[in-house]
Amino acid sequence: MATKQANRQAITLKGSSALVTEFFKYAANTILFQREVYPSDDFHMVKKYGQTVLVTQDLALENYLERILSQVHKWLLTGSVTQLVLAIISKDTRTPLERWVFDVKLVEPPADASTTRESKPEAEIQSEIRAILKQIVSMVTYLPVIQEPTVFNILAYTNESADVPAGEWVDTDPLAIEASKSQQVKMRSFSTDVHRIEAMVAYRYEE
């Protein structure tokens, strides 16, 4: 009796872009909660990726993130975005304190065109995402305590062909931390069949 071979469909650019955009949403919320940029009362728990994650209930913040993520999703679909940065800044002095950096890379297709790579299971992708979110949470014990009010900014690095909506995104200071006062920690990564996201955090460290 013939057996049917079930082939997993490779994740599409559209599917991968949606997955990556969703990851940024939960990563940004996790960072803003863990680094106390917003009061803990502003967040509520939801189940995602097989674990509990905290998401803002602040409508202004939610709308701001949704606007940004909507544009990031469009850039992912056109391969225009190369890096996203969530920078935490001193509210009073505007000094950059932390830069959470997410590099966006396209996964190389097999060199041999006749070779078809097996699709990466979604469970494996979710496991990798869980590991990054858990790492963001655990970084709190490692990073310097922030003892002043902070605000944040999201920076998107795009290639020159990117379609940038007028008025919504502007060229800005990279909010870099001076090399002599900066420490960096490379974090975990995750990948789909289309994208690879590599994460790191740079923080201000003064002896």
Side-chain angles (χ1 to χ4, degrees):
M1 196 170 157
T3 57
K4 265 200 228 166
Q5 181 66 40
N7 287 326
R8 272 199 307 270
Q9 285 296 304
I11 194 165
T12 61
L13 171 61
K14 187 176 177 183
S16 179
S17 299
L19 248 168
V20 171
T21 304
E22 188 178 65
F23 160 74
F24 285 129
K25 171 185 170 178
Y26 290 108
N29 272 280
T30 302
I31 293 164
L32 296 175
F33 173 80
Q34 293 295 336
R35 303 311 284 146
E36 300 181 353
V37 179
Y38 284 78
S40 57
D41 292 352
D42 285 359
F43 294 81
H44 67 119
M45 291 187 286
V46 298
K47 287 286 279 187
K48 191 69 192 171
Y49 310 120
Q51 66 182 19
T52 301
V53 290
L54 286 140
V55 178
T56 183
Q57 301 179 96
D58 180 304
L59 277 176
L61 174 56
E62 198 178 344
N63 291 335
Y64 172 72
L65 288 174
E66 285 303 325
R67 276 203 317 278
I68 284 177
L69 292 168
S70 170
Q71 183 57 53
V72 166
H73 183 244
K74 290 173 187 167
W75 283 330
L76 284 164
L77 286 171
T78 54
S80 310
V81 63
T82 56
Q83 188 182 82
L84 288 167
V85 177
L86 191 155
I88 296 176
I89 313 149
S90 163
K91 190 173 184 178
D92 299 326
T93 65
R94 311 303 290 180
T95 305
L97 304 175
E98 291 175 5
R99 292 177 97 251
W100 296 79
V101 179
F102 300 92
D103 284 320
V104 182
K105 300 178 179 180
L106 291 172
V107 173
E108 291 291 322
D112 181 354
S114 64
T115 306
T116 54
R117 184 171 38 210
E118 189 170 314
S119 179
K120 186 167 186 174
E122 191 158 342
E124 191 178 330
I125 298 169
Q126 292 207 359
S127 173
E128 291 177 355
I129 290 175
R130 269 200 305 277
I132 297 181
L133 294 178
K134 283 178 179 170
Q135 193 175 24
I136 292 172
V137 173
S138 68
M139 289 299 290
V140 177
T141 58
Y142 186 86
L143 295 170
V145 176
I146 298 175
Q147 294 177 314
E148 58 188 301
T150 54
V151 292
F152 79 101
N153 205 340
I154 290 180
L155 313 176
Y157 289 78
T158 59
N159 56 32
E160 288 178 9
S161 62
D163 183 13
V164 180
E168 285 187 42
W169 293 78
V170 293
D171 284 337
T172 183
D173 179 331
L175 301 173
I177 302 168
E178 309 93 297
S180 61
K181 297 176 180 175
S182 174
Q183 300 276 347
Q184 296 185 357
V185 180
K186 188 167 169 54
M187 297 170 64
R188 293 177 182 273
S189 61
F190 84 90
S191 62
T192 68
D193 293 335
V194 181
H195 296 104
R196 180 176 176 81
I197 308 302
E198 295 181 354
M200 60 86 72
V201 60
Y203 60 94
R204 180 172 292 276
Y205 179 79
E206 299 186 53
E207 294 196 30

